[in-house]
Amino acid sequence: MSILDYEKRYDEILTNIEKVRVRVNQHQIVKIVAVSKSVEAKEISNMYSIGQRAFGENRVQALKSKTLELENLPIEWHFIGRLQTNKINALIDLNPSLIHSCSSLELALEIDKRLKVKGKKIDALLQINSAKEEQKAGVMPEISLDTYDEIISTCSNINLKGVMSIGAHTDDKKVIKDSFEKTYAIYEELKNKGAKYCSMGMSSDYELAVECGANMLRIGSTLFTNKRRTDEESL
Ligand SMILES: *Cc1c(COP(=O)(O)O)cnc(C)c1O
């Protein structure tokens, strides 16, 4: 796509977000993380040139190569994917600004152990499997508050900043909404423990996520491709 196309897509998405945001919470700032996992460095720099600063990748290797290719740009990199234990060190070395996918106490302990060795700290979100889907990572909603506390008390090199969740995998808007509401309720409980971000909402459901209180969206395909949502697809 040309820069002009990118600007149009970006404006459209911002307008969609604003429509919902002013209705539900005038004071809430909603941050967009542009998920760049399916595009090349060139497209990231195009998006950067129109003002986007935060980008998200879901594989450590891709994050590494894109970080290198774009090292002249002060991009804020987010890690949003499944993190294998043998990739933790490599991820820490890339200094991501936020890890969205801290998905269990065990993983947090592994990350913390390596951070201690390196003498580093990192910001992270606790991923919650709010829709309780087998194929998804994340802690179950029932134990999420306890796990959050446990990470705070045992992982001193991880700064927990809130929660992340992926909406239920269905076309049923009501079910997706339930999963977002569940995540938001947990986030609210954690605000007095320093939770600042509620990361939920992707290309297909970001407006619904904002309606449910999300203040961080992870948007990929609809931002980087020319494909417009048809009315049937839209929420
Ligand atoms: C790919 C991905 C996204 C973005 O998905 P789109 O539908 O392309 O907007 C968001 N979050 C996670 C965890 C992802 O892997």
Side-chain angles (χ1 to χ4, degrees), residues 1 5-6 9-10 13 32-35 47 52 55 203 219-226:
M1 295 203 293
D5 287 327
Y6 277 120
R9 297 296 301 126
Y10 199 65
I13 291 166
I32 299 175
V33 176
V35 176
M47 200 58 84
Q52 179 65 28
F55 292 86
S203 290
I219 304 181
S221 49
T222 195
L223 190 58
F224 284 105
T225 57
N226 230 339

Side-chain angles (χ1 to χ4, degrees), residues 35 37-38 58 80-81 127 164 166 201-204 218-222:
V35 176
K37 65 188 180 196
S38 5
N58 68 337
I80 63 167
Q127 182 173 355
M164 178 274 231
I166 300 171
M202 323 200 313
S203 290
S204 58
R218 307 178 310 271
I219 304 181
S221 49
T222 195

Side-chain angles (χ1 to χ4, degrees), residues 3 9 20 62 68 101 103 116 124-125 136 143 147 160 204 218 232:
I3 298 269
R9 297 296 301 126
V20 184
L68 280 172
S101 42
S103 53
K116 282 202 172 78
L125 305 178
K136 269 192 194 134
I143 62 158
T147 304
L160 275 186
S204 58
R218 307 178 310 271
E232 303 87 73

Side-chain angles (χ1 to χ4, degrees), residues 5 8 19 46 52 55 83 90 93 125 129 174 177 191 208 213:
D5 287 327
K8 235 164 88 185
K19 269 188 214 151
N46 282 344
Q52 179 65 28
F55 292 86
L83 181 55
D93 291 343
L125 305 178
N129 187 354
K174 172 81 176 60
K177 193 172 183 196
K191 274 183 179 170
L208 185 58

